[in-house]
Amino acid sequence: MSTFTSSPVPPAASEFDRRMMQRCLALAERAAGRTAPNPMVGAVVVRGGAIVGEGFHPQAGQPHAEVFALQAAGSQAQGATLYVNLEPCSHYGRTPPCADALIQAGVAKVVVGMVDPNPQVSGRGIARLQSAGIEVVVGVEEAACQTLNEGFVHRMRYQRPFGILKYAMTLDGKIAATTGHSAWVTSEAARTWVHQLRSRCDAIIIGGNTVRQDNPHLTSHGQGANPLRVVMSRHLDLPPAAHLWQTQDAPTLVFTEQGAPSAPQRALQRQGVEVVELSQLTPQLVMQQLYERGCLNVLWECGGTLAARAIAEASVQKILAFIAPKLIGGADAPSPIGELGFTRMDQALPLERVQWHTIGSDYLVEGYLPTNSSAVTAKA
């Protein structure tokens, strides 16, 4: 890894610097759900205290945010300051190095939100800028920059997509009635929020039972891009007609095990559904497949049994739990997470960095699983 020096933050980061970096983040978010396997990046060129150019990375294979911002600024980039939420790249990928473009444009200063976790970059872009005599400030709004691209950061560190488990439950901890009926646990406002969340993810995973019980669409319902819809089914005992098989709406991928019945495989394939056989049908192997397909953020919207196994196999890093202010009761009504093998309360997994949000009439609890949660021995 290249070494570099950076200005301290604070006091190097002024209020103006923070506002410009927040603008970069807002620009970057315009491409949410469309950049995988690349990160979301926005860039702003400032001269004389005014924005003279800005841009964002729209999708993999397209120019990076810095290039669009420099193009918009034109000759005014000379001697200007460029703000960008992620370190400019220093290597040739699908596009030329952004660090070189900044040097050629003659910018005087670059303010970077966070160092790129990609080992091909990771400090090298900053070092290249500094060696060209450009002042570099690193770490402005770093926490927000890390959160925006947490899927990209996780992918780079662990060679796996970032897993998000989302569920909705009643105040007494049920995700459905004893009959399996679950429409709807939460308010319309919460469901709209989930549709927006889906548009920011690259894939959504459910199990076969969710297909049979709920017949979901798993789309963004017009809130943005539709993710890849993924079903895990060992025996392919799936309904012949389901919303997920309407692949003109969004692509659907079914993972099963080697030796699964061939007739239902052919029936799914005739409807445009991709079927992939794995040596074992496990969350870990499914996430490896999705990593190889370039996914950053993967949303688990499955039932309790599969959710427990995904947690046990470290395929879930973040929890989004909706709590609706209603009671359904039922000793046998399903709960959001199945057997994890714990027998004592002090074995429970504590969420970290917890936040509470109010959405409509519901509460949303957002938190992260501890990094050692892979030690869980699930009985799912």
Side-chain angles (χ1 to χ4, degrees):
M1 180 185 297
S2 301
T3 59
F4 61 92
T5 59
S6 61
S7 302
V9 180
S14 66
E15 179 59 30
F16 182 81
D17 287 340
R18 286 189 282 270
R19 284 196 289 111
M20 291 301 99
M21 191 58 67
Q22 289 163 7
R23 177 59 182 165
C24 290
L25 294 171
L27 289 165
E29 280 199 283
R30 293 184 181 180
R34 295 181 172 90
T35 64
N38 291 354
M40 293 178 281
V41 183
V44 174
V45 181
V46 173
R47 184 167 183 170
I51 296 176
V52 296
E54 58 183 28
F56 64 94
H57 177 52
Q59 64 182 48
Q62 294 294 314
H64 291 183
E66 299 94 320
V67 173
F68 285 113
L70 291 174
Q71 287 175 348
S75 62
Q76 294 186 86
Q78 181 78 34
T81 297
L82 180 131
Y83 294 82
V84 63
N85 59 290
L86 185 71
E87 175 185 4
C89 63
S90 57
H91 67 293
Y92 281 89
R94 298 188 190 182
T95 58
C98 289
D100 289 355
L102 295 173
I103 294 168
Q104 293 165 7
V107 301
K109 180 179 178 179
V110 176
V111 180
V112 177
M114 61 175 280
V115 175
D116 194 331
N118 184 346
Q120 290 184 293
V121 183
S122 200
R124 293 181 176 87
I126 293 168
R128 183 174 295 191
L129 294 173
Q130 291 177 328
S131 66
I134 297 174
E135 179 186 356
V136 181
V137 175
V138 183
V140 176
E141 293 289 289
E142 182 172 8
C145 293
Q146 291 275 354
T147 299
L148 177 73
N149 277 310
E150 60 189 2
F152 177 73
V153 172
H154 186 84
R155 177 182 170 88
M156 284 296 156
R157 288 180 178 169
Y158 303 105
Q159 291 74 57
R160 288 290 188 278
F162 184 75
I164 305 167
L165 173 62
K166 188 280 301 179
Y167 59 82
M169 67 181 188
T170 58
L171 197 57
D172 53 343
K174 310 299 184 181
I175 61 174
T178 53
T179 61
H181 186 265
S182 61
W184 297 100
V185 174
T186 54
S187 64
E188 185 176 351
R191 298 197 298 274
T192 298
W193 192 95
V194 170
H195 298 156
Q196 294 169 348
L197 171 66
R198 288 175 180 172
S199 74
R200 300 174 63 89
C201 294
D202 305 302
I204 302 179
I205 301 177
I206 61 171
N209 194 50
T210 301
V211 181
R212 291 186 289 271
Q213 290 280 352
D214 299 343
N215 190 22
H217 289 84
L218 299 186
T219 63
S220 67
H221 291 258
Q223 298 296 316
N226 286 324
L228 172 67
R229 304 175 298 185
V230 178
V231 179
M232 294 177 61
S233 176
R234 183 169 284 106
H235 303 295
L236 295 180
D237 48 343
L238 302 168
H243 295 310
L244 294 181
W245 314 151
Q246 298 170 9
T247 53
Q248 70 276 11
D249 299 330
T252 301
L253 168 62
V254 174
F255 285 109
T256 189
E257 277 192 348
Q258 292 175 356
S262 58
Q265 290 194 49
R266 291 193 298 269
L268 289 170
Q269 290 165 344
R270 283 195 295 268
Q271 297 183 80
V273 176
E274 182 181 2
V275 181
V276 173
E277 291 186 348
L278 301 177
S279 57
Q280 289 183 300
L281 188 62
T282 66
Q284 193 172 57
L285 289 181
V286 166
M287 290 293 266
Q288 174 62 33
Q289 287 280 322
L290 295 178
Y291 169 80
E292 293 171 2
R293 290 168 181 255
C295 291
L296 294 178
N297 298 294
V298 172
L299 185 61
W300 293 83
E301 289 200 37
C302 53
T305 300
L306 183 53
R309 190 161 187 188
I311 291 172
E313 295 185 15
S315 294
V316 171
Q317 284 68 51
K318 187 175 186 176
I319 303 293
L320 294 172
F322 282 93
I323 304 172
K326 58 179 69 170
L327 304 172
I328 187 66
D332 297 323
S335 60
I337 299 173
E339 182 60 66
L340 286 172
F342 297 150
T343 58
R344 294 172 53 88
M345 189 56 67
D346 56 12
Q347 294 175 302
L349 298 173
L351 294 189
E352 301 169 349
R353 292 175 281 161
V354 175
Q355 297 183 59
W356 288 77
H357 312 275
T358 303
I359 301 176
S361 59
D362 308 304
Y363 278 108
L364 171 62
V365 182
E366 175 183 353
Y368 296 81
L369 288 170
T371 54
N372 64 351
S373 61
S374 58
V376 176
T377 301
K379 299 178 181 178

